[in-house]
């Protein structure tokens, strides 16, 4: 498992995004599952959170940057899990991810799968920008 590369800066008004994502992708659950099973892992990374975000706050922050939640575990569990997706607006390649947060240790693991693994680093940078912008990183 690799550490999440945190070379992104805290988002500021007017900064260009690290990747352009589709603001309205459509990915039904059966299609997500089919793609998830067919794709190889692109990245499997961990990061330490400063504090534990409420799942709805994380869902809202990700959605504001065009990363959408397909399903998530109930809040107040020792392990919080979400499945999220996004789509590159120009290539239409999909990004699928499983986010796991261990509540006691505040350790977040991102299991990322990409249709085009060459775009994985750009998506990771985008994901880190969301975490930084929400002040969740340690």
């Amino acid at each position: 498992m690799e550490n999440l590369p945190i070379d992104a800066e805290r988002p500021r008004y007017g900064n260009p995004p690290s990747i352009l994502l589709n603001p309205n992708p459509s990915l039904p659950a059966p299609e997500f599952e089919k793609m998830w099973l067919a794709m190889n892992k692109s990245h499997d990374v961990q990061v330490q959170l400063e504090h534990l975000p409420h799942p709805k706050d994380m869902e809202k922050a990700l959605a504001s940057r065009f990363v959408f939640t397909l399903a998530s575990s109930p809040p107040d569990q020792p392990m919080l899990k979400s499945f999220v997706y996004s789509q590159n607006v120009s290539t239409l390649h999909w990004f699928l991810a499983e986010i796991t947060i261990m509540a006691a240790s505040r350790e977040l693991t991102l299991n990322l799968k990409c249709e085009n693994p060459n775009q994985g680093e750009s998506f990771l940078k985008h994901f880190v920008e969301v975490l930084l912008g929400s002040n969740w990183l340690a």
Side-chain angles (χ1 to χ4, degrees):
M1 180 147 338
E2 57 186 290
N3 288 325
L4 194 59
I6 304 176
D7 60 351
E9 293 183 23
R10 293 194 185 276
R12 294 183 205 125
Y13 180 75
N15 275 7
S18 57
I19 190 169
L20 295 176
L21 299 174
N22 183 349
N24 297 303
S26 176
L27 187 60
E31 186 65 23
F32 180 101
E33 183 177 9
K34 181 179 168 185
M35 290 171 55
W36 182 263
L37 294 173
M39 285 185 199
N40 292 323
K41 280 186 192 177
S42 178
H43 293 80
D44 194 13
V45 294
Q46 290 182 332
V47 65
Q48 183 68 42
L49 298 174
E50 179 72 30
H51 65 277
L52 190 63
H54 189 279
K56 291 294 180 191
D57 292 338
M58 180 167 274
E59 185 175 326
K60 184 178 174 183
L62 289 169
S64 75
R65 300 290 301 271
F66 309 134
V67 179
F68 300 97
T69 302
L70 180 72
S72 61
S73 61
D76 303 323
Q77 299 294 313
M79 180 176 72
L80 304 170
K81 191 172 281 212
S82 297
F83 288 91
V84 300
Y85 64 94
S86 195
Q87 185 180 43
N88 184 304
V89 76
S90 58
T91 66
L92 301 181
H93 288 129
W94 288 100
F95 303 97
L96 309 180
E98 175 187 38
I99 301 169
T100 304
I101 301 174
M102 301 306 295
S105 64
R106 296 182 326 273
E107 184 177 86
L108 180 147
T109 302
L110 177 73
N111 177 350
L112 177 64
K113 296 185 177 189
C114 309
E115 276 190 302
N116 180 350
N118 294 331
Q119 296 176 351
E121 288 292 328
S122 294
F123 183 84
L124 284 177
K125 184 175 179 187
H126 183 80
F127 185 78
V128 168
E129 289 168 353
V130 174
L131 297 178
L132 286 170
S134 300
N135 295 313
W136 289 328
L137 285 181

